[in-house]
Amino acid sequence: MALVTTAEVCDTNPQLIVSGELRALQPIFQIYGRRQIFSGPVVTLKAYEDNVLIREFLEEKGDGRVLVVDGGGSLRCAILGGNPVVRAQNNGWAGIVVNGCIRDVDEINGCDIGVRALASHPMKANRKGVGEKHVPITVGGTRISDGEWLYADTDGILISRTEASV
């Protein structure tokens, strides 16, 4: 599969931008992991300062999907660390986008997976298992639904209702 850049997707699909079927997330995310360009169908999760459901998802087979976590933009603790990212890499996830913080940055940067997050933070999250799976979320100023497509590279992150063509 050839890697598609976000700029190419935007340039070849102006009608999808006008219709709202193709949206860009606000440029608020830091780039982590060795895979700077990644894409795939979205799996959504809402989890505020709790990492139990994130860990559960990443233990499943990823099949090239991208986990998008609405962590409420919290900068008070990390909801994703190195061990679950290693598991995600080994289970075939294409990437993880976190509207919140991560930790174990050096370990994550050694993984062949794409990770985007607001920042890093040394404190770990709660483990209560609170959150909602497969629900519409708002991340980076954009509404994201389960099953939509995410495209990420060094220029930014796009969400498309369907798999984009270039």
Side-chain angles (χ1 to χ4, degrees), residues 41-43 53-67 84-96 113 133-134:
V42 168
V43 178
L53 296 180
I54 297 169
R55 293 174 76 94
E56 284 178 8
F57 258 126
L58 298 177
E59 285 170 8
E60 298 174 11
K61 286 286 173 220
D63 298 320
R65 296 176 295 168
V66 178
L67 180 61
V85 173
V86 168
R87 218 168 286 125
Q89 168 199 262
N90 295 340
N91 286 336
W93 289 85
I96 309 162
I113 189 170
K133 298 178 176 185
H134 307 291

Side-chain angles (χ1 to χ4, degrees), residues 37-147:
I37 300 173
F38 62 94
S39 62
V42 168
V43 178
T44 59
L45 173 61
K46 190 179 269 196
Y48 184 75
E49 297 183 358
D50 192 308
N51 67 3
V52 172
L53 296 180
I54 297 169
R55 293 174 76 94
E56 284 178 8
F57 258 126
L58 298 177
E59 285 170 8
E60 298 174 11
K61 286 286 173 220
D63 298 320
R65 296 176 295 168
V66 178
L67 180 61
V68 182
V69 182
D70 181 5
S74 172
L75 301 176
R76 301 188 325 166
C77 65
I79 56 173
L80 180 66
N83 289 338
V85 173
V86 168
R87 218 168 286 125
Q89 168 199 262
N90 295 340
N91 286 336
W93 289 85
I96 309 162
V97 177
V98 178
N99 184 27
C101 293
I102 64 168
R103 68 183 203 163
D104 307 323
V105 170
D106 290 342
E107 185 177 4
I108 289 170
N109 283 342
C111 292
D112 183 25
I113 189 170
V115 177
R116 300 293 187 272
L118 299 179
S120 59
H121 197 295
M123 295 174 70
K124 65 182 177 184
N126 298 316
R127 291 195 177 172
K128 296 179 182 164
V130 177
E132 296 176 89
K133 298 178 176 185
H134 307 291
V135 294
I137 57 177
T138 301
V139 171
T142 300
R143 190 83 166 154
I144 304 170
S145 296
D146 217 59

Side-chain angles (χ1 to χ4, degrees), residues 19-31:
S19 72
E21 291 177 56
L22 180 64
R23 290 108 52 213
L25 271 59
Q26 295 165 342
I28 56 176
F29 295 93
Q30 304 299 312
I31 296 173

Side-chain angles (χ1 to χ4, degrees), residues 138-158:
T138 301
V139 171
T142 300
R143 190 83 166 154
I144 304 170
S145 296
D146 217 59
E148 292 191 298
W149 277 74
L150 183 142
Y151 297 86
D153 63 16
T154 52
D155 284 339
I157 303 171
L158 296 174

